[in-house]
Amino acid sequence: MLDTLGNLKRTHYCGALRATDAEQDVILTGWVHRRRDLGQLIFIDLRDRAGIAQIVFNKEQHAEAHAKAEELRAEFVVAVEGRVVRRQKANPEIASGEVEVIATRLHVLNTAKTPPFQVEDEVTASEETRLRYRYLDLRRPRPHRNIELRHKIFFEIRKTLDELGFFEIETPMLTRSTPEGARDYLVPSRVHHGQFYALPQSPQIFKQILMIAGMDRYFQIVKCFRDEDLRADRQPEFTQLDLEMSFPRQQDIFEVIERVMERACGVIGVAAKGPFRHLDYKEALRRYGSDKPDLRFGMELHNVTPLFEPARATLHFEGNVQAVVAPGAAAWSRKQLDELAEFAKSAGARGVYTVKVTPEGVTSPLEKNLGADALKKMAEAVGAKPGDLIVAAAAKEQIPHSDTSLGVAGQMRLHLGDKLNLIDRGKWEFVWITGFALFEWSETDKRWASAQHPFTGVFEEDLDKLETAPWECRSKGYDLVLNGVELGSGSIRIHRQDVQARIFKALGLSDETARQRFGFFLDALTYGTPPHGGIALGLDRVVTLLAGEKSIREVIAFPKTTTAVDLMAESPSEVDPAQLDELGIQIREKK
Ligand code: ASP
């Protein structure tokens, strides 16, 4: 027979009991974490949101409670009445370890089936099992802590933006397509036969319209939906801090985000401090081989193409050659070098070359192609010291106006930085990336596409090149990067209707298509649109970094797998034929 909660009122969280609570009568509630039965004495670790408290049932003193405690199993739900006493020997492992509770009464509120895995941080169950039983998984301390941290960060962001005069305004979930470059999730309309809503890829158009509406400063912590191929740091639905301001200079937006990130970092006691540094996109690529450089370590790239030029024919390489200096790696074994070459090839390198710098001189298989002098020159040029290994990679141009060798070397840099333990995990290196091109070439569509989205502003001086040399148009966009992770991007927007119409044209949209897809927005732009700009940050990534986790799934209460499945709710799922009928939808056989 189960007991009822009745009029019992919890007095303390289990995990919150401290030595100062000794000699107090308490009522605790929670889950049976562990039970140890020593006959006369039964010990229960009782767990709640705050942690664990040890409860003691003494057969001699409280026979009835002790008898009931004999029936307890893992994850039973109970309420305990008792008295806090100091332990003879404190347990430093748990926060309440200086005290324990001598139980006078036990109320068993619910039973539990044997869980498929133990509710502990050291869990051996697969991620699949954990996600299927997410409610049990979330009882573990670490996921618990991550969700709490997420709440605290979100709360701090809201407070900060409220103080800065921003309004949180909701925008529709059932809407029409926003071009952020992914596929839409569509929702069929029952009322309007044959018509669909799209779930927002972002609130982009709505937030711009809020500026036209005179709201001046908008933000929203908002779900966005993008149907794209998933990776470890992507979810089909994810949470953004979305923000827009009227009459801003770029610097004003940066300052707002710097305040927000300072306060978010403050939640875990990290003292981030704006202004964050700025890096031009091209410079980031040239020096770090990435538009999201990890600045926690150096190891900058060196363009050594001229030094390799004489051997272009004998080495059979195409494109440019970039080198990095791996400190102390001259001693690497054959096997380590082979692995490195393997990695570089998988990153797209066509040729990988190594040069060892030792106190005796410079040695390399390249010597027969380049000669000893050239190798010495190279070591000097890249600043390699005895003990260092120079690693160079050549890669062929893949896309017009882009240097593939930089990206390849950038990946090698990260790989080596990790292998050589050069990345200081205690550092928080924020950087603003600016100076992006407005368009990038889309190989699939064989045309110029928006590098970001089509509402991104363009430098006025470049407007004349829109039609003639689109690749030279500079965008007013920017990215925020933290420790090599892109946290988000934004821009000063186009606020003139004529310019927006020209951009759509440059993107290959006919007047008709542009009107059909964005007519309402083009119209809105004609009614007195203020200059405006904004940004969106991926909050799942922010929390992941601050929580020190690797996967964003660890900081989302109910994440989906990399195949976009919710294993617990078992969605997506088939639906009732009657529902489809009502929507006028028929499922075709898969081809
Ligand atoms: N809408 C953009 C995005 O979701 C961000 C922005 O431009 O504000 O990436």
Side-chain angles (χ1 to χ4, degrees), residues 307-566:
L307 289 168
F308 274 73
E309 210 57 73
R312 190 178 278 278
T314 49
L315 286 172
H316 307 290
F317 71 85
E318 288 175 283
N320 286 335
V321 192
Q322 309 289 337
V324 291
V325 179
W332 271 19
S333 67
R334 179 81 259 155
K335 187 160 165 264
Q336 281 173 303
L337 294 179
D338 286 347
E339 269 169 19
L340 176 65
E342 236 3 86
F343 175 84
K345 290 212 172 114
S346 69
R350 288 293 183 81
V352 191
Y353 316 100
T354 51
V355 179
K356 285 186 183 180
V357 185
T358 64
E360 290 75 47
V362 180
T363 62
S364 166
L366 281 174
E367 195 174 327
K368 55 182 184 300
N369 306 86
L370 292 177
D373 269 358
L375 292 184
K376 236 190 260 153
K377 244 200 220 149
M378 190 184 310
E380 255 164 49
V382 301
K385 293 188 295 296
D388 294 347
L389 180 73
I390 305 170
V391 187
K396 186 178 163 240
E397 302 290 274
Q398 305 279 330
I399 302 171
H401 310 284
S402 84
D403 183 351
T404 312
S405 70
L406 291 170
V408 171
Q411 289 191 56
M412 261 176 20
R413 170 181 177 266
L414 289 178
H415 179 80
L416 287 165
D418 185 44
K419 285 265 180 270
L420 294 167
N421 268 325
L422 299 178
I423 303 173
D424 180 346
R425 309 274 164 197
K427 271 192 174 172
W428 298 85
E429 291 291 348
F430 287 94
V431 55
W432 290 107
I433 310 289
T434 54
F436 291 100
L438 189 64
F439 299 108
E440 61 191 20
W441 182 253
S442 161
E443 235 351 83
T444 21
D445 301 338
K446 302 277 180 241
R447 62 169 180 81
W448 291 97
S450 292
Q452 207 181 4
H453 53 57
F455 314 109
T456 307
V458 48
F459 279 90
E460 282 70 19
E461 309 88 282
D462 295 347
L463 276 176
D464 286 341
K465 297 182 196 154
L466 268 182
E467 291 82 16
T468 50
W471 57 90
E472 281 180 18
C473 293
R474 288 163 304 156
S475 123
K476 291 188 180 169
Y478 34 78
D479 279 1
L480 180 63
V481 172
L482 168 58
N483 291 351
V485 176
E486 185 197 313
L487 292 185
S489 46
S491 57
I492 300 293
R493 322 295 182 188
I494 296 161
H495 69 281
R496 277 172 40 191
Q497 198 265 3
D498 57 327
V499 176
Q500 187 65 69
R502 271 174 79 183
I503 294 282
F504 284 145
K505 198 166 280 162
L507 289 169
L509 289 186
S510 68
D511 279 347
E512 207 186 356
T513 321
R515 272 236 68 81
Q516 187 209 343
R517 288 177 60 190
F518 306 111
F520 70 106
F521 182 59
L522 286 170
D523 285 344
L525 284 174
T526 59
Y527 286 97
T529 301
H532 61 285
I535 189 167
L537 301 185
L539 289 186
D540 303 307
R541 288 185 190 173
V542 169
V543 180
T544 304
L545 289 176
L546 292 179
E549 290 288 359
K550 287 222 161 61
S551 154
I552 62 172
R553 294 191 294 278
E554 298 295 343
V555 302
I556 299 172
F558 301 105
K560 295 195 171 49
T561 63
T562 39
T563 51
V565 170
D566 177 338

